[in-house]
């Protein structure tokens, strides 16, 4: 990806995360990114396309983080153990990428997300595939995968926001375990 495009996306994530999407000005972004005026429109036709690119950039980074993290674990894990590790890594990632967190928190409530089911599918597909494996193997209750994605992603965002509001909890292993168990107990198949 072109470095100017990446620079615009990174700065856009910061701006959107702070100010939201309503008053976005490409000229302000270009100035903050330190690139010449008009560069924004070399890469993006609309604010909507730009905001979606920012979202996809974040989701790609998070997915890579989870994939790398799981691949480094040295033992074979059960489905619920993998789910728990992904949960913890995702929370840690969001807390370390707080500008991306604020962006995503706001983005999920925009028309760009809420009114575009194809885009939501694109964003959530890797997680939908994972939940499908869990459902097909009898670990997760049978329910629409997109509903399950929304439950899990909102639970994660709520947990990260709660930890932000109560920073001492970041190292509280009992709280972190309960945060996962709260989700897991609501979706797992009871045996």
């Amino acid at each position: 990806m072109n470095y100017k495009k990446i620079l615009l996306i990174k700065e856009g994530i910061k701006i959107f995360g702070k100010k939201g999407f309503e008053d976005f000005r490409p000229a302000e972004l270009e100035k903050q990114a330190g690139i010449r005026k008009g560069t924004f429109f070399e890469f993006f036709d609309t604010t909507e396309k730009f905001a979606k690119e920012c979202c996809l950039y974040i989701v790609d980074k998070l997915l890579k983080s989870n994939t790398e993290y799981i691949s480094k674990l040295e033992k074979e894990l059960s489905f619920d153990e993998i789910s728990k590790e992904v949960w913890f890594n995702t929370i840690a990632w969001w807390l370390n990428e707080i500008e991306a967190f604020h962006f995503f928190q706001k983005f999920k409530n925009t028309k760009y997300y809420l009114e575009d089911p194809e885009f939501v599918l694109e964003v959530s597909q890797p997680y939908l595939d994972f939940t499908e494996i869990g459902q097909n193997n009898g670990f997760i209750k049978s329910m629409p995968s997109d509903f399950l994605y929304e439950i899990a992603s909102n639970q994660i965002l709520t947990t990260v926001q709660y930890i932000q509001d109560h920073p001492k909890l970041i190292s509280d292993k009992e709280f972190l375990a309960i945060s996962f168990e709260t989700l897991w107990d609501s979706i797992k198949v009871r045996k």
Side-chain angles (χ1 to χ4, degrees):
M1 190 180 300
N2 181 294
Y3 94 95
K4 288 182 183 177
K5 184 175 182 179
I6 291 172
L7 187 59
L8 287 168
I9 288 170
K10 287 180 176 181
E11 290 301 318
I13 289 167
K14 291 177 191 176
I15 289 172
F16 287 141
K18 287 178 187 168
K19 296 182 177 183
F21 298 84
E22 299 305 316
D23 296 322
F24 173 72
R25 304 281 181 266
E28 177 187 351
L29 170 65
E30 292 163 338
K31 183 177 180 180
Q32 189 165 322
I35 57 178
R36 74 173 166 73
K37 194 172 185 176
T39 304
F40 177 87
F41 293 105
E42 291 175 18
F43 300 105
F44 310 101
D45 297 339
T46 64
T47 299
E48 177 178 356
K49 287 180 183 177
F50 177 62
K52 287 178 176 179
E53 283 279 338
C54 291
C55 180
L56 291 171
Y57 180 84
I58 290 168
V59 169
D60 182 61
K61 294 287 185 194
L62 175 57
L63 185 60
K64 284 179 182 172
S65 174
N66 281 329
T67 303
E68 288 173 12
Y69 178 75
I70 293 299
S71 71
K72 289 179 183 176
L73 298 175
E74 294 183 11
K75 63 177 185 163
E76 283 291 316
L77 299 175
S78 65
F79 185 84
D80 60 325
E81 290 171 325
I82 292 171
S83 299
K84 190 174 191 176
E85 293 297 334
V86 167
W87 174 268
F88 291 140
N89 189 67
T90 299
I91 289 173
W93 190 87
W94 282 124
L95 288 167
N96 286 321
E97 300 290 337
I98 209 64
E99 291 168 337
F101 170 72
H102 290 297
F103 170 93
F104 196 74
Q105 208 177 25
K106 289 178 177 150
F107 183 77
K108 280 192 74 174
N109 293 307
T110 66
K111 64 183 177 183
Y112 308 143
Y113 184 86
L114 296 171
E115 296 175 6
D116 190 345
E118 290 86 20
F119 181 75
V120 173
L121 182 62
E122 182 178 356
V123 168
S124 61
Q125 192 61 56
Y127 299 99
L128 297 177
D129 294 344
F130 182 70
T131 58
E132 187 176 324
I133 292 167
Q135 289 176 326
N136 290 342
N137 290 292
F139 300 115
I140 298 176
K141 292 176 186 175
S142 180
M143 63 179 85
S145 293
D146 57 336
F147 176 63
L148 183 56
Y149 169 77
E150 290 299 328
I151 291 171
S153 65
N154 286 319
Q155 183 82 3
I156 286 172
L157 293 175
T158 299
T159 301
V160 171
Q161 183 62 57
Y162 193 80
I163 291 170
Q164 262 199 305
D165 295 342
H166 303 88
K168 291 179 183 177
L169 293 175
I170 189 61
S171 59
D172 185 334
K173 291 182 181 185
E174 186 177 334
F175 171 78
L176 294 171
I178 289 170
S179 73
F180 173 74
E181 290 166 14
T182 301
L183 172 66
W184 188 248
D185 287 347
S186 70
I187 65 171
K188 74 178 179 181
V189 171
R190 305 213 190 291
K191 294 182 181 188

PDB file of all heavy atoms in Angstrom, residues 88-117:
ATOM      1  N   PHE A  88      -8.461 -12.441  25.179  1.00  0.00           N
ATOM      2  CA  PHE A  88      -7.451 -11.689  25.939  1.00  0.00           C
ATOM      3  C   PHE A  88      -6.535 -10.895  25.025  1.00  0.00           C
ATOM      4  O   PHE A  88      -6.204  -9.742  25.316  1.00  0.00           O
ATOM      5  CB  PHE A  88      -6.629 -12.624  26.826  1.00  0.00           C
ATOM      6  CG  PHE A  88      -7.411 -13.210  27.960  1.00  0.00           C
ATOM      7  CD1 PHE A  88      -7.239 -14.525  28.319  1.00  0.00           C
ATOM      8  CD2 PHE A  88      -8.324 -12.462  28.688  1.00  0.00           C
ATOM      9  CE1 PHE A  88      -7.946 -15.080  29.374  1.00  0.00           C
ATOM     10  CE2 PHE A  88      -9.036 -12.999  29.745  1.00  0.00           C
ATOM     11  CZ  PHE A  88      -8.851 -14.314  30.088  1.00  0.00           C
ATOM     12  N   ASN A  89      -6.106 -11.494  23.925  1.00  0.00           N
ATOM     13  CA  ASN A  89      -5.236 -10.784  22.995  1.00  0.00           C
ATOM     14  C   ASN A  89      -5.958  -9.599  22.371  1.00  0.00           C
ATOM     15  O   ASN A  89      -5.370  -8.530  22.190  1.00  0.00           O
ATOM     16  CB  ASN A  89      -4.705 -11.721  21.902  1.00  0.00           C
ATOM     17  CG  ASN A  89      -3.643 -11.038  21.071  1.00  0.00           C
ATOM     18  OD1 ASN A  89      -2.568 -10.736  21.557  1.00  0.00           O
ATOM     19  ND2 ASN A  89      -3.968 -10.769  19.821  1.00  0.00           N
ATOM     20  N   THR A  90      -7.236  -9.772  22.046  1.00  0.00           N
ATOM     21  CA  THR A  90      -8.010  -8.686  21.453  1.00  0.00           C
ATOM     22  C   THR A  90      -8.143  -7.527  22.429  1.00  0.00           C
ATOM     23  O   THR A  90      -7.959  -6.364  22.050  1.00  0.00           O
ATOM     24  CB  THR A  90      -9.395  -9.192  21.010  1.00  0.00           C
ATOM     25  OG1 THR A  90      -9.214 -10.212  20.022  1.00  0.00           O
ATOM     26  CG2 THR A  90     -10.240  -8.068  20.428  1.00  0.00           C
ATOM     27  N   ILE A  91      -8.440  -7.813  23.671  1.00  0.00           N
ATOM     28  CA  ILE A  91      -8.545  -6.751  24.675  1.00  0.00           C
ATOM     29  C   ILE A  91      -7.205  -6.032  24.817  1.00  0.00           C
ATOM     30  O   ILE A  91      -7.146  -4.801  24.821  1.00  0.00           O
ATOM     31  CB  ILE A  91      -9.039  -7.316  26.021  1.00  0.00           C
ATOM     32  CG1 ILE A  91     -10.513  -7.695  25.900  1.00  0.00           C
ATOM     33  CG2 ILE A  91      -8.820  -6.307  27.160  1.00  0.00           C
ATOM     34  CD1 ILE A  91     -11.085  -8.421  27.091  1.00  0.00           C
ATOM     35  N   ALA A  92      -6.120  -6.791  24.924  1.00  0.00           N
ATOM     36  CA  ALA A  92      -4.793  -6.183  25.048  1.00  0.00           C
ATOM     37  C   ALA A  92      -4.470  -5.332  23.820  1.00  0.00           C
ATOM     38  O   ALA A  92      -3.932  -4.222  23.943  1.00  0.00           O
ATOM     39  CB  ALA A  92      -3.740  -7.271  25.242  1.00  0.00           C
ATOM     40  N   TRP A  93      -4.822  -5.847  22.629  1.00  0.00           N
ATOM     41  CA  TRP A  93      -4.547  -5.105  21.404  1.00  0.00           C
ATOM     42  C   TRP A  93      -5.290  -3.773  21.398  1.00  0.00           C
ATOM     43  O   TRP A  93      -4.705  -2.726  21.115  1.00  0.00           O
ATOM     44  CB  TRP A  93      -4.913  -5.935  20.177  1.00  0.00           C
ATOM     45  CG  TRP A  93      -4.434  -5.326  18.896  1.00  0.00           C
ATOM     46  CD1 TRP A  93      -3.216  -5.502  18.320  1.00  0.00           C
ATOM     47  CD2 TRP A  93      -5.159  -4.416  18.052  1.00  0.00           C
ATOM     48  NE1 TRP A  93      -3.138  -4.767  17.159  1.00  0.00           N
ATOM     49  CE2 TRP A  93      -4.324  -4.092  16.974  1.00  0.00           C
ATOM     50  CE3 TRP A  93      -6.426  -3.848  18.096  1.00  0.00           C
ATOM     51  CZ2 TRP A  93      -4.702  -3.231  15.951  1.00  0.00           C
ATOM     52  CZ3 TRP A  93      -6.811  -2.993  17.089  1.00  0.00           C
ATOM     53  CH2 TRP A  93      -5.955  -2.684  16.020  1.00  0.00           C
ATOM     54  N   TRP A  94      -6.593  -3.810  21.709  1.00  0.00           N
ATOM     55  CA  TRP A  94      -7.389  -2.573  21.723  1.00  0.00           C
ATOM     56  C   TRP A  94      -6.824  -1.583  22.737  1.00  0.00           C
ATOM     57  O   TRP A  94      -6.772  -0.382  22.477  1.00  0.00           O
ATOM     58  CB  TRP A  94      -8.848  -2.847  22.041  1.00  0.00           C
ATOM     59  CG  TRP A  94      -9.691  -3.378  20.919  1.00  0.00           C
ATOM     60  CD1 TRP A  94     -10.429  -4.532  20.924  1.00  0.00           C
ATOM     61  CD2 TRP A  94      -9.944  -2.783  19.642  1.00  0.00           C
ATOM     62  NE1 TRP A  94     -11.088  -4.688  19.740  1.00  0.00           N
ATOM     63  CE2 TRP A  94     -10.819  -3.624  18.930  1.00  0.00           C
ATOM     64  CE3 TRP A  94      -9.507  -1.617  19.025  1.00  0.00           C
ATOM     65  CZ2 TRP A  94     -11.269  -3.345  17.642  1.00  0.00           C
ATOM     66  CZ3 TRP A  94      -9.957  -1.331  17.734  1.00  0.00           C
ATOM     67  CH2 TRP A  94     -10.824  -2.187  17.059  1.00  0.00           C
ATOM     68  N   LEU A  95      -6.415  -2.077  23.902  1.00  0.00           N
ATOM     69  CA  LEU A  95      -5.870  -1.177  24.926  1.00  0.00           C
ATOM     70  C   LEU A  95      -4.540  -0.558  24.485  1.00  0.00           C
ATOM     71  O   LEU A  95      -4.230   0.576  24.869  1.00  0.00           O
ATOM     72  CB  LEU A  95      -5.711  -1.912  26.254  1.00  0.00           C
ATOM     73  CG  LEU A  95      -7.027  -2.230  26.970  1.00  0.00           C
ATOM     74  CD1 LEU A  95      -6.796  -3.220  28.099  1.00  0.00           C
ATOM     75  CD2 LEU A  95      -7.698  -0.953  27.479  1.00  0.00           C
ATOM     76  N   ASN A  96      -3.773  -1.271  23.683  1.00  0.00           N
ATOM     77  CA  ASN A  96      -2.519  -0.742  23.154  1.00  0.00           C
ATOM     78  C   ASN A  96      -2.718   0.134  21.924  1.00  0.00           C
ATOM     79  O   ASN A  96      -1.827   0.890  21.550  1.00  0.00           O
ATOM     80  CB  ASN A  96      -1.541  -1.875  22.821  1.00  0.00           C
ATOM     81  CG  ASN A  96      -0.942  -2.486  24.058  1.00  0.00           C
ATOM     82  OD1 ASN A  96      -0.624  -1.788  25.019  1.00  0.00           O
ATOM     83  ND2 ASN A  96      -0.800  -3.799  24.064  1.00  0.00           N
ATOM     84  N   GLU A  97      -3.846  -0.011  21.289  1.00  0.00           N
ATOM     85  CA  GLU A  97      -4.174   0.761  20.077  1.00  0.00           C
ATOM     86  C   GLU A  97      -5.412   1.610  20.365  1.00  0.00           C
ATOM     87  O   GLU A  97      -6.446   1.498  19.706  1.00  0.00           O
ATOM     88  CB  GLU A  97      -4.434  -0.180  18.895  1.00  0.00           C
ATOM     89  CG  GLU A  97      -3.256  -1.059  18.523  1.00  0.00           C
ATOM     90  CD  GLU A  97      -2.121  -0.270  17.894  1.00  0.00           C
ATOM     91  OE1 GLU A  97      -2.361   0.825  17.355  1.00  0.00           O
ATOM     92  OE2 GLU A  97      -0.980  -0.761  17.940  1.00  0.00           O
ATOM     93  N   ILE A  98      -5.291   2.472  21.348  1.00  0.00           N
ATOM     94  CA  ILE A  98      -6.456   3.178  21.875  1.00  0.00           C
ATOM     95  C   ILE A  98      -7.100   4.111  20.844  1.00  0.00           C
ATOM     96  O   ILE A  98      -8.316   4.293  20.846  1.00  0.00           O
ATOM     97  CB  ILE A  98      -6.112   3.893  23.201  1.00  0.00           C
ATOM     98  CG1 ILE A  98      -7.342   3.990  24.086  1.00  0.00           C
ATOM     99  CG2 ILE A  98      -5.429   5.215  22.989  1.00  0.00           C
ATOM    100  CD1 ILE A  98      -7.892   2.695  24.553  1.00  0.00           C
ATOM    101  N   GLU A  99      -6.308   4.694  19.948  1.00  0.00           N
ATOM    102  CA  GLU A  99      -6.893   5.538  18.896  1.00  0.00           C
ATOM    103  C   GLU A  99      -7.750   4.690  17.957  1.00  0.00           C
ATOM    104  O   GLU A  99      -8.828   5.114  17.528  1.00  0.00           O
ATOM    105  CB  GLU A  99      -5.807   6.286  18.132  1.00  0.00           C
ATOM    106  CG  GLU A  99      -5.142   7.351  18.987  1.00  0.00           C
ATOM    107  CD  GLU A  99      -3.883   7.920  18.372  1.00  0.00           C
ATOM    108  OE1 GLU A  99      -3.253   7.248  17.529  1.00  0.00           O
ATOM    109  OE2 GLU A  99      -3.520   9.051  18.755  1.00  0.00           O
ATOM    110  N   ALA A 100      -7.272   3.501  17.636  1.00  0.00           N
ATOM    111  CA  ALA A 100      -8.056   2.583  16.804  1.00  0.00           C
ATOM    112  C   ALA A 100      -9.328   2.168  17.540  1.00  0.00           C
ATOM    113  O   ALA A 100     -10.401   2.058  16.939  1.00  0.00           O
ATOM    114  CB  ALA A 100      -7.225   1.354  16.445  1.00  0.00           C
ATOM    115  N   PHE A 101      -9.207   1.948  18.842  1.00  0.00           N
ATOM    116  CA  PHE A 101     -10.375   1.590  19.652  1.00  0.00           C
ATOM    117  C   PHE A 101     -11.436   2.683  19.585  1.00  0.00           C
ATOM    118  O   PHE A 101     -12.607   2.403  19.326  1.00  0.00           O
ATOM    119  CB  PHE A 101      -9.964   1.341  21.101  1.00  0.00           C
ATOM    120  CG  PHE A 101     -11.122   1.193  22.041  1.00  0.00           C
ATOM    121  CD1 PHE A 101     -11.913   0.051  22.011  1.00  0.00           C
ATOM    122  CD2 PHE A 101     -11.445   2.188  22.943  1.00  0.00           C
ATOM    123  CE1 PHE A 101     -12.999  -0.090  22.865  1.00  0.00           C
ATOM    124  CE2 PHE A 101     -12.520   2.062  23.801  1.00  0.00           C
ATOM    125  CZ  PHE A 101     -13.299   0.912  23.760  1.00  0.00           C
ATOM    126  N   HIS A 102     -11.019   3.929  19.793  1.00  0.00           N
ATOM    127  CA  HIS A 102     -11.986   5.038  19.754  1.00  0.00           C
ATOM    128  C   HIS A 102     -12.602   5.180  18.366  1.00  0.00           C
ATOM    129  O   HIS A 102     -13.799   5.452  18.232  1.00  0.00           O
ATOM    130  CB  HIS A 102     -11.338   6.342  20.209  1.00  0.00           C
ATOM    131  CG  HIS A 102     -11.032   6.364  21.667  1.00  0.00           C
ATOM    132  ND1 HIS A 102     -11.989   6.286  22.642  1.00  0.00           N
ATOM    133  CD2 HIS A 102      -9.854   6.422  22.319  1.00  0.00           C
ATOM    134  CE1 HIS A 102     -11.437   6.311  23.831  1.00  0.00           C
ATOM    135  NE2 HIS A 102     -10.132   6.371  23.671  1.00  0.00           N
ATOM    136  N   PHE A 103     -11.784   4.975  17.341  1.00  0.00           N
ATOM    137  CA  PHE A 103     -12.315   5.004  15.975  1.00  0.00           C
ATOM    138  C   PHE A 103     -13.399   3.938  15.814  1.00  0.00           C
ATOM    139  O   PHE A 103     -14.512   4.221  15.377  1.00  0.00           O
ATOM    140  CB  PHE A 103     -11.197   4.766  14.949  1.00  0.00           C
ATOM    141  CG  PHE A 103     -11.726   4.543  13.558  1.00  0.00           C
ATOM    142  CD1 PHE A 103     -11.858   5.601  12.690  1.00  0.00           C
ATOM    143  CD2 PHE A 103     -12.123   3.282  13.131  1.00  0.00           C
ATOM    144  CE1 PHE A 103     -12.379   5.410  11.410  1.00  0.00           C
ATOM    145  CE2 PHE A 103     -12.634   3.074  11.854  1.00  0.00           C
ATOM    146  CZ  PHE A 103     -12.764   4.145  10.997  1.00  0.00           C
ATOM    147  N   PHE A 104     -13.056   2.688  16.143  1.00  0.00           N
ATOM    148  CA  PHE A 104     -13.976   1.582  15.902  1.00  0.00           C
ATOM    149  C   PHE A 104     -15.246   1.723  16.730  1.00  0.00           C
ATOM    150  O   PHE A 104     -16.346   1.436  16.247  1.00  0.00           O
ATOM    151  CB  PHE A 104     -13.286   0.251  16.212  1.00  0.00           C
ATOM    152  CG  PHE A 104     -13.996  -0.937  15.634  1.00  0.00           C
ATOM    153  CD1 PHE A 104     -13.945  -1.207  14.286  1.00  0.00           C
ATOM    154  CD2 PHE A 104     -14.727  -1.791  16.451  1.00  0.00           C
ATOM    155  CE1 PHE A 104     -14.603  -2.302  13.743  1.00  0.00           C
ATOM    156  CE2 PHE A 104     -15.393  -2.888  15.925  1.00  0.00           C
ATOM    157  CZ  PHE A 104     -15.331  -3.145  14.566  1.00  0.00           C
ATOM    158  N   GLN A 105     -15.093   2.183  17.947  1.00  0.00           N
ATOM    159  CA  GLN A 105     -16.236   2.412  18.824  1.00  0.00           C
ATOM    160  C   GLN A 105     -17.227   3.375  18.159  1.00  0.00           C
ATOM    161  O   GLN A 105     -18.438   3.140  18.168  1.00  0.00           O
ATOM    162  CB  GLN A 105     -15.711   3.001  20.134  1.00  0.00           C
ATOM    163  CG  GLN A 105     -16.511   2.739  21.342  1.00  0.00           C
ATOM    164  CD  GLN A 105     -15.818   3.315  22.574  1.00  0.00           C
ATOM    165  OE1 GLN A 105     -15.019   4.251  22.505  1.00  0.00           O
ATOM    166  NE2 GLN A 105     -16.128   2.748  23.708  1.00  0.00           N
ATOM    167  N   LYS A 106     -16.708   4.437  17.586  1.00  0.00           N
ATOM    168  CA  LYS A 106     -17.568   5.421  16.923  1.00  0.00           C
ATOM    169  C   LYS A 106     -18.059   4.915  15.574  1.00  0.00           C
ATOM    170  O   LYS A 106     -19.211   5.127  15.197  1.00  0.00           O
ATOM    171  CB  LYS A 106     -16.832   6.745  16.756  1.00  0.00           C
ATOM    172  CG  LYS A 106     -16.639   7.467  18.065  1.00  0.00           C
ATOM    173  CD  LYS A 106     -15.877   8.753  17.901  1.00  0.00           C
ATOM    174  CE  LYS A 106     -15.800   9.418  19.267  1.00  0.00           C
ATOM    175  NZ  LYS A 106     -14.626  10.200  19.449  1.00  0.00           N
ATOM    176  N   PHE A 107     -17.177   4.253  14.838  1.00  0.00           N
ATOM    177  CA  PHE A 107     -17.516   3.798  13.491  1.00  0.00           C
ATOM    178  C   PHE A 107     -18.692   2.829  13.496  1.00  0.00           C
ATOM    179  O   PHE A 107     -19.538   2.886  12.614  1.00  0.00           O
ATOM    180  CB  PHE A 107     -16.292   3.148  12.833  1.00  0.00           C
ATOM    181  CG  PHE A 107     -16.546   2.714  11.424  1.00  0.00           C
ATOM    182  CD1 PHE A 107     -16.566   3.644  10.403  1.00  0.00           C
ATOM    183  CD2 PHE A 107     -16.772   1.391  11.109  1.00  0.00           C
ATOM    184  CE1 PHE A 107     -16.814   3.267   9.094  1.00  0.00           C
ATOM    185  CE2 PHE A 107     -17.012   0.990   9.809  1.00  0.00           C
ATOM    186  CZ  PHE A 107     -17.032   1.940   8.791  1.00  0.00           C
ATOM    187  N   LYS A 108     -18.757   1.936  14.487  1.00  0.00           N
ATOM    188  CA  LYS A 108     -19.840   0.951  14.536  1.00  0.00           C
ATOM    189  C   LYS A 108     -21.218   1.591  14.653  1.00  0.00           C
ATOM    190  O   LYS A 108     -22.225   0.929  14.412  1.00  0.00           O
ATOM    191  CB  LYS A 108     -19.629  -0.026  15.694  1.00  0.00           C
ATOM    192  CG  LYS A 108     -18.624  -1.107  15.365  1.00  0.00           C
ATOM    193  CD  LYS A 108     -18.643  -2.218  16.373  1.00  0.00           C
ATOM    194  CE  LYS A 108     -19.878  -3.033  16.151  1.00  0.00           C
ATOM    195  NZ  LYS A 108     -20.001  -4.219  16.940  1.00  0.00           N
ATOM    196  N   ASN A 109     -21.258   2.877  14.998  1.00  0.00           N
ATOM    197  CA  ASN A 109     -22.541   3.571  15.136  1.00  0.00           C
ATOM    198  C   ASN A 109     -22.818   4.543  13.999  1.00  0.00           C
ATOM    199  O   ASN A 109     -23.735   5.350  14.101  1.00  0.00           O
ATOM    200  CB  ASN A 109     -22.586   4.300  16.485  1.00  0.00           C
ATOM    201  CG  ASN A 109     -22.597   3.325  17.636  1.00  0.00           C
ATOM    202  OD1 ASN A 109     -23.425   2.429  17.683  1.00  0.00           O
ATOM    203  ND2 ASN A 109     -21.665   3.476  18.551  1.00  0.00           N
ATOM    204  N   THR A 110     -22.042   4.454  12.937  1.00  0.00           N
ATOM    205  CA  THR A 110     -22.271   5.334  11.791  1.00  0.00           C
ATOM    206  C   THR A 110     -23.132   4.630  10.745  1.00  0.00           C
ATOM    207  O   THR A 110     -23.230   3.402  10.724  1.00  0.00           O
ATOM    208  CB  THR A 110     -20.948   5.749  11.113  1.00  0.00           C
ATOM    209  OG1 THR A 110     -20.338   4.588  10.527  1.00  0.00           O
ATOM    210  CG2 THR A 110     -20.009   6.430  12.090  1.00  0.00           C
ATOM    211  N   LYS A 111     -23.679   5.420   9.854  1.00  0.00           N
ATOM    212  CA  LYS A 111     -24.443   4.855   8.737  1.00  0.00           C
ATOM    213  C   LYS A 111     -23.540   4.025   7.830  1.00  0.00           C
ATOM    214  O   LYS A 111     -24.005   3.103   7.174  1.00  0.00           O
ATOM    215  CB  LYS A 111     -25.144   5.959   7.950  1.00  0.00           C
ATOM    216  CG  LYS A 111     -24.195   6.925   7.285  1.00  0.00           C
ATOM    217  CD  LYS A 111     -24.938   8.048   6.573  1.00  0.00           C
ATOM    218  CE  LYS A 111     -23.940   9.019   5.982  1.00  0.00           C
ATOM    219  NZ  LYS A 111     -24.593  10.150   5.356  1.00  0.00           N
ATOM    220  N   TYR A 112     -22.250   4.346   7.802  1.00  0.00           N
ATOM    221  CA  TYR A 112     -21.315   3.598   6.962  1.00  0.00           C
ATOM    222  C   TYR A 112     -21.279   2.128   7.370  1.00  0.00           C
ATOM    223  O   TYR A 112     -21.062   1.259   6.539  1.00  0.00           O
ATOM    224  CB  TYR A 112     -19.898   4.159   7.055  1.00  0.00           C
ATOM    225  CG  TYR A 112     -19.779   5.641   6.801  1.00  0.00           C
ATOM    226  CD1 TYR A 112     -18.870   6.406   7.518  1.00  0.00           C
ATOM    227  CD2 TYR A 112     -20.543   6.287   5.841  1.00  0.00           C
ATOM    228  CE1 TYR A 112     -18.732   7.762   7.288  1.00  0.00           C
ATOM    229  CE2 TYR A 112     -20.411   7.649   5.606  1.00  0.00           C
ATOM    230  CZ  TYR A 112     -19.501   8.381   6.340  1.00  0.00           C
ATOM    231  OH  TYR A 112     -19.370   9.717   6.107  1.00  0.00           O
ATOM    232  N   TYR A 113     -21.449   1.884   8.631  1.00  0.00           N
ATOM    233  CA  TYR A 113     -21.442   0.517   9.159  1.00  0.00           C
ATOM    234  C   TYR A 113     -22.871  -0.034   9.245  1.00  0.00           C
ATOM    235  O   TYR A 113     -23.150  -1.110   8.731  1.00  0.00           O
ATOM    236  CB  TYR A 113     -20.786   0.505  10.542  1.00  0.00           C
ATOM    237  CG  TYR A 113     -20.625  -0.867  11.145  1.00  0.00           C
ATOM    238  CD1 TYR A 113     -19.514  -1.640  10.843  1.00  0.00           C
ATOM    239  CD2 TYR A 113     -21.570  -1.394  12.018  1.00  0.00           C
ATOM    240  CE1 TYR A 113     -19.347  -2.902  11.394  1.00  0.00           C
ATOM    241  CE2 TYR A 113     -21.408  -2.658  12.570  1.00  0.00           C
ATOM    242  CZ  TYR A 113     -20.303  -3.407  12.261  1.00  0.00           C
ATOM    243  OH  TYR A 113     -20.158  -4.654  12.801  1.00  0.00           O
ATOM    244  N   LEU A 114     -23.736   0.707   9.862  1.00  0.00           N
ATOM    245  CA  LEU A 114     -25.090   0.220  10.149  1.00  0.00           C
ATOM    246  C   LEU A 114     -25.933  -0.020   8.899  1.00  0.00           C
ATOM    247  O   LEU A 114     -26.810  -0.874   8.908  1.00  0.00           O
ATOM    248  CB  LEU A 114     -25.818   1.206  11.066  1.00  0.00           C
ATOM    249  CG  LEU A 114     -25.210   1.383  12.459  1.00  0.00           C
ATOM    250  CD1 LEU A 114     -25.882   2.540  13.189  1.00  0.00           C
ATOM    251  CD2 LEU A 114     -25.336   0.097  13.262  1.00  0.00           C
ATOM    252  N   GLU A 115     -25.662   0.717   7.838  1.00  0.00           N
ATOM    253  CA  GLU A 115     -26.491   0.628   6.639  1.00  0.00           C
ATOM    254  C   GLU A 115     -25.814  -0.119   5.492  1.00  0.00           C
ATOM    255  O   GLU A 115     -26.260  -0.032   4.347  1.00  0.00           O
ATOM    256  CB  GLU A 115     -26.902   2.038   6.187  1.00  0.00           C
ATOM    257  CG  GLU A 115     -27.775   2.745   7.212  1.00  0.00           C
ATOM    258  CD  GLU A 115     -28.097   4.186   6.840  1.00  0.00           C
ATOM    259  OE1 GLU A 115     -27.750   4.624   5.724  1.00  0.00           O
ATOM    260  OE2 GLU A 115     -28.702   4.866   7.689  1.00  0.00           O
ATOM    261  N   ASP A 116     -24.752  -0.860   5.785  1.00  0.00           N
ATOM    262  CA  ASP A 116     -24.039  -1.573   4.729  1.00  0.00           C
ATOM    263  C   ASP A 116     -23.724  -3.000   5.171  1.00  0.00           C
ATOM    264  O   ASP A 116     -22.605  -3.296   5.602  1.00  0.00           O
ATOM    265  CB  ASP A 116     -22.753  -0.825   4.368  1.00  0.00           C
ATOM    266  CG  ASP A 116     -22.092  -1.366   3.111  1.00  0.00           C
ATOM    267  OD1 ASP A 116     -22.442  -2.482   2.666  1.00  0.00           O
ATOM    268  OD2 ASP A 116     -21.206  -0.665   2.578  1.00  0.00           O
ATOM    269  N   PRO A 117     -24.702  -3.903   5.054  1.00  0.00           N
ATOM    270  CA  PRO A 117     -24.491  -5.272   5.517  1.00  0.00           C
ATOM    271  C   PRO A 117     -23.350  -5.996   4.803  1.00  0.00           C
ATOM    272  O   PRO A 117     -22.686  -6.839   5.407  1.00  0.00           O
ATOM    273  CB  PRO A 117     -25.828  -5.973   5.267  1.00  0.00           C
ATOM    274  CG  PRO A 117     -26.682  -5.033   4.515  1.00  0.00           C
ATOM    275  CD  PRO A 117     -26.045  -3.679   4.535  1.00  0.00           C
TER     276      PRO A 117
END
